Amino acid sequence: MTKTSLSVIKADVGSLAGHHVVHPKQLSLTKELLDKAKKEGEIIDDYVFNCGDDINMVLTHRKGVDNPSIHELAWETLSKVAALSRSMHLYAAGQDLLTDSFSGNVKGLGPGVAEMEIEERPSEPVIIFAADKTEPGAWNFPLYRIFADPFCTPGLVIDQSLHEGFNFEILDVMEGSAVTLWTPPEVYDLLALIGTPYKYVIKSIRRHKDNLLGAVASTQRLALIAGKYIGKDDPVAIVRVQHGLPAAGEALEPFAFPHLVAGWMRGSHVGPIMPVSLKNAKCTRFDGPPRVVALGFQLCNGELIGPADLFDDPAYDETRRKSSQVADYMRRHGPFMPHRLPPEEMEYTTMPQVLEKLKDRFVKQ
Ligand code: F6R
Ligand code: MG
Ligand code: MG
């Protein structure tokens, strides 16, 4: 059977009014370049959107994951949009493109990537999640709840096809090694790892009984790639839903709780993630609070039907209110942890300079 590949590739290549929002000209150039590739038969379909200051490209094709020509298309597109951003003096133009030379795969060069190659089911609903002002580990909590927590996903208990659970592939982003754990039998081992989201990140999830792919997430951490702070990773994830997988509503349910994530101002603070519609996917208060959007598509032989802007719904109003209240509460801590991240995780710090300046004034007690 013909397989469909779905690639979500994203980067921050500059933005309007600080790290706030992508400019419409950046989006229209991205769309124009991808539509040209579509006309030339390089891809089947594309959809372009932004979450805050990140451009997200959704591409469908027949070329599989990690395909050099797809990655080159993404790289060339982002590079041209970065050039436009520079010509407009947009802020931090070209930020996430860490090199001038492309070498076959955008992974490790700055952009975030989530890709899957699947046999389309007779009807194939997928949800693409994209976040701004946070890191890949921000997906750990919701992905765990979607695929392993029966208090979120009753299908795990009452739908025979989910009842055997899921295999979670966990990446140690510091060591570059991965381990696969089966839930429910290994749920405590899983939680022991993914409760440390800056180190252990969910990379993919498969249905245990037949290995059917359920979800993939971007795991790139810019600071680890570049060896210094560049910007937050602002991750993406793809979740297949329905008919033997979590229902769309089960996949959206964890986001009714605005859990705390790392990122926000200067990539150095803890704050609540706020589920928003595309039109509200722009960070303001204290460069945040971190946002997440969810776009629902139907795949149709590679064509992208949609999207449905899933958080554009009053059912999430209370969550948004709650995240504003939590934002108030966290902000009251000012420069104190746990609002401010621990020293090893801060993206900006003056600690070495402060310690150097004070080194002769420390008195042994
Ligand atoms: C966080 C982020 C922003 C910036 C902040 C300072 O991911 O992008 O919070 O860190 O606006 O930016 P610079 O140093 O560019 O002035
Ligand atoms: Mg930015
Ligand atoms: Mg961003």
Side-chain angles (χ1 to χ4, degrees):
M1 188 175 167
T2 337
K3 289 189 172 175
T4 300
S5 306
L6 178 58
S7 303
V8 183
I9 303 181
K10 54 84 36 190
D12 175 347
V13 292
S15 47
L16 173 69
H19 295 276
H20 175 56
V21 75
V22 167
H23 189 281
K25 281 190 180 168
Q26 294 174 293
L27 289 177
S28 53
L29 177 58
T30 311
K31 180 76 185 145
E32 185 190 310
L33 294 167
L34 295 180
D35 281 353
K36 181 164 168 278
K38 179 174 159 181
K39 214 169 274 161
E40 288 164 359
E42 229 187 303
I43 53 175
I44 304 172
D45 208 353
D46 65 84
Y47 185 78
V48 177
F49 68 100
N50 71 295
C51 183
D53 58 5
D54 294 271
I55 296 177
N56 294 278
M57 302 181 286
V58 185
L59 310 173
T60 56
H61 52 95
R62 300 262 178 243
K63 299 176 180 173
V65 303
D66 287 325
N67 178 270
S69 73
I70 294 297
H71 280 237
E72 188 170 8
L73 170 65
W75 182 262
E76 289 301 321
T77 303
L78 290 168
S79 301
K80 285 177 183 148
V81 180
L84 169 71
S85 314
R86 282 188 199 100
S87 76
M88 295 170 72
H89 291 203
L90 291 179
Y91 196 66
Q95 172 185 282
D96 286 359
L97 307 184
L98 302 181
T99 164
D100 291 332
S101 52
F102 176 73
S103 50
N105 194 307
V106 296
K107 283 182 196 158
L109 304 184
V113 185
E115 294 185 288
M116 52 170 63
E117 185 184 34
I118 54 171
E119 273 179 21
E120 280 185 32
R121 297 169 292 165
S123 178
E124 185 62 64
V126 297
I127 299 179
I128 293 170
F129 291 98
D132 191 29
K133 303 291 185 270
T134 188
E135 61 181 20
W139 300 136
N140 283 6
F141 176 89
L143 286 175
Y144 166 77
R145 294 210 60 216
I146 296 166
F147 287 94
D149 180 359
F151 282 73
C152 172
T153 300
L156 295 164
V157 180
I158 63 178
D159 181 338
Q160 194 53 45
S161 47
L162 280 75
H163 203 70
E164 282 176 45
F166 287 87
N167 295 332
F168 285 69
E169 185 192 8
I170 309 301
L171 181 68
D172 177 337
V173 291
M174 311 255 173
E175 299 297 325
S177 54
V179 61
T180 298
L181 295 168
W182 175 23
T183 60
E186 298 180 298
V187 75
Y188 296 157
D189 293 337
L190 176 74
L191 286 169
L193 298 185
I194 65 172
T196 307
Y198 63 83
K199 179 168 167 66
Y200 297 103
V201 175
I202 298 172
K203 188 168 184 231
S204 68
I205 302 171
R206 291 177 179 273
R207 192 162 66 184
H208 181 76
K209 68 170 185 175
D210 56 5
N211 223 28
L212 185 89
L213 186 56
V216 293
S218 64
T219 53
Q220 288 73 32
R221 286 206 58 192
L222 272 171
L224 298 178
I225 297 168
K228 61 177 194 292
Y229 178 65
I230 298 291
K232 264 294 171 211
D233 320 290
D234 304 335
V236 288
I238 311 171
V239 177
R240 298 169 82 186
V241 292
Q242 304 291 154
H243 197 72
L245 287 170
E250 288 167 336
L252 299 174
E253 177 61 10
F255 294 95
F257 171 67
H259 67 290
L260 294 171
V261 297
W264 207 353
M265 174 56 75
R266 296 180 186 273
S268 303
H269 292 82
V270 172
I273 194 160
M274 182 186 271
V276 290
S277 62
L278 279 177
K279 77 172 186 312
N280 288 320
K282 47 192 175 190
C283 289
T284 52
R285 182 179 180 187
F286 200 56
D287 285 0
R291 314 273 161 137
V292 56
V293 297
L295 298 187
F297 291 93
Q298 292 290 148
L299 289 180
C300 175
N301 302 318
E303 192 187 333
L304 289 160
I305 312 275
D309 186 355
L310 295 162
F311 291 138
D312 184 13
D313 180 355
Y316 283 86
D317 284 350
E318 288 310 314
T319 310
R320 291 187 271 265
R321 219 181 319 275
K322 172 79 80 190
S323 52
S324 286
Q325 288 161 357
V326 174
D328 279 339
Y329 177 84
M330 296 304 288
R331 285 298 303 122
R332 293 279 296 271
H333 295 80
F336 287 82
M337 287 175 62
H339 178 32
R340 202 214 70 201
L341 281 169
E344 329 71 80
E345 278 307 295
M346 289 166 69
E347 306 283 15
Y348 284 63
T349 184
T350 48
M351 191 69 106
Q353 292 87 328
V354 171
L355 286 176
E356 175 60 26
K357 192 176 71 185
L358 298 182
K359 70 175 189 300
D360 299 329
R361 289 166 56 190
F362 273 97
V363 180
K364 228 14 211 192
Q365 297 292 301

